[in-house]
Amino acid sequence: DVPDIATPMRTQAIMNSFGINTRKSLGQNFLTDIKILKNIVTAGDVQPTDNVIEIGPGIGALTEQLARSAKQVVAFEIDDRLMPVLEHTMAPYDNVTVINQDILSVDLETAIQEHFSDPDAPLKLVANLPYYITTPILMQVLQSNVQFANIVVMMQKEVASRLSAEVGTKDYGALTLAVQYRVDATLAFTVSRTAFIPNPNVDSAIVSLTPREPLEVLPHNEKQLFKLFKVGFTMRRKTLWNNLITAFGKDDEMKARLTEALADVDLDPRIRAEKLSLEKFIDLHNALVKTGV
Ligand code: SAM
């Protein structure tokens, strides 16, 4: 019966005894609310048969809860000052592997083969992310060929709202589309800034990402499709037409091609990109390819 790390008193005591001060530049805000940690593990539906990847274990508050529920936890932490801390706090758990590496430099497929004793067990990703690199981490994870049974991650509430936004709302944009192209995203619950040491200056939310239904129509070129997401939202308040000609060209020939592509998929050029579903974006992309844009 090991006491939980995640109380304000124990967190402070651990940091003091190792002489650690948190670094803002590394997004270090440590969770000190045990109820929230338990809810995160529940949202991840972590089972004794699961492998779990954690990004940014900090002093191990979440890692410990994961270790108690999972088969094995592999955690990537960039800050070498935290290695002796984690060695101490994770000593009671024989199923935790901590790797001192920048997650953005990790090849996930190789790491999974290398560090999990049973690399074929169901894999989940559960993390309280470093907020300054939320989007790059998500893109790296979603663009890898790794099959996650689910991904449950804490992030800044504003970003969580964008990931889980419905078409036509103010939060809907290029990031929503890039994520929803790969997974279903739902906002599980929000977390007050008072649940951390130190308190961040934003509120947080847990997002759950689960495998999505296969798309009925596939894009000709994923890279170009992702570029089109960005083009559509270059100037949010402008029409789709305006953003398209700004990106692709204003000469008569280009305008003719764009007009043809839009007509092909029944789109009024005066529409705004926020009204276009993912499926419509894919249709538009395919029509643009067809007309040679
Ligand atoms: N999991 C702990 C918790 O919930 O209390 C800490 C979460 S804290 C928000 C983010 C953690 O990510 C910090 O420990 C930070 O050092 C680590 N981190 C920051 N950048 C990282 C990177 N590029 N790769 C791996 N870990 C990183």
Side-chain angles (χ1 to χ4, degrees), residues 250-267:
K250 296 179 164 71
D251 55 287
D252 288 344
E253 194 192 319
M254 183 52 78
K255 281 184 175 169
R257 287 176 196 223
L258 291 170
T259 304
E260 190 189 332
L262 288 170
D264 220 24
V265 291
D266 286 326
L267 275 176

Side-chain angles (χ1 to χ4, degrees), residues 161-162 165-173 176 233 236-237 274:
S161 302
R162 282 162 64 198
E166 305 271 351
V167 60
T169 63
K170 71 167 177 25
D171 290 326
Y172 185 78
T176 317
F233 290 94
R236 261 200 101 79
R237 302 305 308 152
E274 66 191 33

